[in-house]
Amino acid sequence: MLYADYNGSVPLLPAVRDYLRRRLDSELFANPNAIHSVGQRLMQGLERARRIVAEAVGCHPDQVLFNSGASEGISTVLYSVLEFSPAKKKVIITSPIEHPAVAKALAYYEREKGYLVKRVHVDGAGRVDVDHLRLLLERHSEELALVAIMAANNETGVLSPYNQIGRACAEARVPFFSDTTQLIGKDAFNFEASGMDYAVCSGHKLGALTGTGFLVAKDPTTLQPLIFGSSQERGLRGGTQNYLGIETVAVAMEDFSTHLDGLKQLRRARLDFEKAIRRQHPKSVIIAEAADRLPGTTLIGYPGLHGQAVQIELESQDIFVTTSAACTDNQPETSEVLRALGVSDDLGRSVVRISFGHRQGEAEYARVLSALSSAYNKLTRIRSY
Ligand SMILES: Cc1ncc(COP(=O)(O)O)c(C=O)c1O
């Protein structure tokens, strides 16, 4: 089988699998907060994992907070900033292409807590308009609580100019949270250079165990616990730490940062694949083709076809992709993200997302090209009957 849904979840990396096989045979299972020697060894492992993660993302270990993943990290950041913001700071700037973990949380703060949410423009290729952001920052300079703009879009793979956004936010003295769920582990990233105040990560998007992840905060004293408990994670996240999961996050981050050269090959293979499919099927459309995107993400449509039909055709050839369209009552609809890009329903309904990680390349794209091309041939033939 060929799994091509790395933006959905990354299968356990070989290094993580090897680590777990060895690790499960060890006797090291205990409460890492206990002061007996087994607990202490686990705690040392946890702190080692924190140092590895910090080194891989370019921050200080004290800035890393382990948790259950990106959704928890996002909720923690928004709660910490928005529940404790001064009364006059009631404006949030975000984008219209955020993941529901951010978009729905902001809708809650807008509905229940009196915040005003402003959305920065994005162009037809999903790129954030930094000039419009600067305008909004200036217009609301006295009332700004937070800027929340994602770093890489899960559907299109489009990268935001987060360095520029970070600089603009620093000048405007407003905290900048970027949803880095799709960026960390899929492209090179350095927290300190990014200008972000907060970033998040899910272990399963790295090839580590699900139910793990971390949050990075430039100033951890600005955080508030979302989960109360003892003094775990310096009192910022109650509950016994998922130490085994955290260890796999460190293994995956280390594996990723020592294989960064794989990203170049991945990007080249993806661009060659996109060129080839466009040549073979001139009516196909690469969504956000003009934008800088994650090395291994392609969102491709073929107006008039149904994305789910394409998906099923690929699955019959043992290739697993997703559509980015949400389905209601069997009525495939264009996703909110694609609507924000001005994508027509005809095209929006037809898309499938093909996503890989730093260990895939030419061979995988060759298989997808052949299967997708025959799927398009078959489905366009059926449609023309
Ligand atoms: C951009 C983005 N943010 C947040 C999330 C939420 O991640 P999780 O479900 O691992 O908490 C996802 C998951 O797909 C995502 O793609």
Side-chain angles (χ1 to χ4, degrees):
M1 84 149 185
L2 179 60
Y3 178 85
D5 183 22
Y6 277 59
N7 287 14
S9 194
V10 174
L12 287 188
L13 291 181
V16 171
R17 243 181 284 174
D18 290 346
Y19 177 82
L20 279 173
R21 274 195 202 102
R22 277 182 278 118
R23 180 66 177 80
L24 290 175
D25 285 336
S26 77
E27 307 245 291
L28 281 178
F29 296 96
N31 191 319
N33 309 292
I35 56 164
H36 51 62
S37 62
V38 189
Q40 287 305 290
R41 281 183 65 190
L42 288 175
M43 185 54 89
Q44 281 165 13
L46 214 145
E47 292 311 319
R48 193 177 328 115
R50 201 185 306 278
R51 287 194 296 277
I52 290 170
V53 166
E55 165 103 35
V57 299
C59 69
H60 191 277
D62 288 349
Q63 295 173 313
V64 176
L65 182 78
F66 287 117
N67 59 20
S68 69
S71 296
E72 182 187 330
I74 290 164
S75 289
T76 303
V77 170
L78 299 182
Y79 173 77
S80 300
V81 176
L82 301 177
E83 285 287 347
F84 301 89
S85 179
K88 64 175 186 143
K89 304 226 176 222
K90 280 291 183 196
V91 175
I92 302 163
I93 300 176
T94 188
S95 84
I97 54 169
E98 299 296 312
H99 186 275
V102 172
K104 286 196 178 173
L106 294 184
Y108 163 82
Y109 283 101
E110 188 169 36
R111 195 178 60 241
E112 305 291 338
K113 303 284 174 177
Y115 278 94
L116 179 65
V117 177
K118 293 287 188 187
R119 286 176 185 79
V120 68
H121 295 158
V122 293
D123 70 9
R127 291 172 292 211
V128 169
D129 181 342
V130 181
D131 289 334
H132 184 230
L133 172 68
R134 287 187 186 281
L135 198 89
L136 290 175
L137 287 171
E138 214 175 284
R139 189 176 296 159
H140 299 282
S141 61
E142 299 301 313
E143 320 145 282
L144 284 170
L146 181 70
V147 170
I149 297 178
M150 72 194 324
N153 185 268
N154 44 304
E155 292 183 32
T156 61
V158 173
L159 296 164
S160 76
Y162 56 82
N163 293 100
Q164 289 179 52
I165 297 173
R167 273 195 298 277
C169 290
E171 281 162 24
R173 295 175 175 276
V174 53
F176 171 36
F177 159 56
S178 189
D179 178 357
T180 47
T181 311
Q182 293 292 348
L183 182 69
I184 297 180
K186 300 244 173 54
D187 206 355
F189 173 64
N190 184 288
F191 179 77
E192 194 169 342
S194 72
M196 295 174 193
D197 289 283
Y198 306 98
V200 292
C201 175
S202 265
H204 74 102
K205 307 277 188 199
L206 306 170
L209 287 172
T210 46
T212 63
F214 59 88
L215 153 60
V216 187
K218 190 190 269 180
D219 177 2
T221 66
T222 59
L223 293 175
Q224 298 286 338
L226 199 61
I227 300 173
F228 292 104
S230 303
S231 56
Q232 296 97 345
E233 296 300 287
R234 282 167 284 129
L236 290 173
R237 205 254 181 190
T240 304
Q241 301 90 333
N242 176 4
Y243 57 88
L244 192 57
I246 291 169
E247 291 166 29
T248 67
V249 169
V251 173
M253 282 305 299
E254 202 164 34
D255 184 81
F256 175 72
S257 47
T258 49
H259 290 94
L260 286 177
D261 48 339
L263 296 175
K264 251 189 238 143
Q265 288 153 34
L266 176 68
R267 184 172 262 122
R268 198 173 323 118
R270 192 253 299 163
L271 290 170
D272 288 348
F273 154 73
E274 291 177 353
K275 235 186 270 164
I277 194 83
R278 293 267 302 110
R279 205 169 38 239
Q280 292 177 20
H281 298 275
K283 285 193 180 156
S284 64
V285 179
I286 311 288
I287 307 288
E289 189 171 15
D292 194 13
R293 286 172 285 141
L294 285 171
T297 302
T298 300
L299 186 66
I300 182 166
Y302 195 115
L305 298 185
H306 273 292
Q308 285 170 342
V310 179
Q311 183 188 20
I312 290 164
E313 278 303 315
L314 291 177
E315 186 148 344
S316 74
Q317 300 194 47
D318 228 12
I319 296 178
F320 298 86
V321 301
T322 53
T323 65
S324 80
C327 291
T328 328
D329 295 325
N330 267 349
Q331 291 289 317
E333 287 176 355
T334 306
S335 75
E336 290 293 322
V337 169
L338 296 190
R339 274 191 214 286
L341 270 59
V343 169
S344 69
D345 278 343
D346 200 26
L347 175 59
R349 275 195 293 262
S350 74
V351 298
V352 290
R353 183 182 67 184
I354 298 145
S355 54
F356 287 120
H358 66 289
R359 290 180 163 273
Q360 285 75 48
E362 265 176 47
E364 289 78 8
Y365 277 114
R367 263 196 78 187
V368 175
L369 176 64
S370 151
L372 187 60
S373 189
S374 57
Y376 282 163
N377 283 335
K378 182 174 169 186
L379 294 168
T380 48
R381 250 193 338 264
I382 292 171
R383 201 186 47 162
S384 61
Y385 281 143

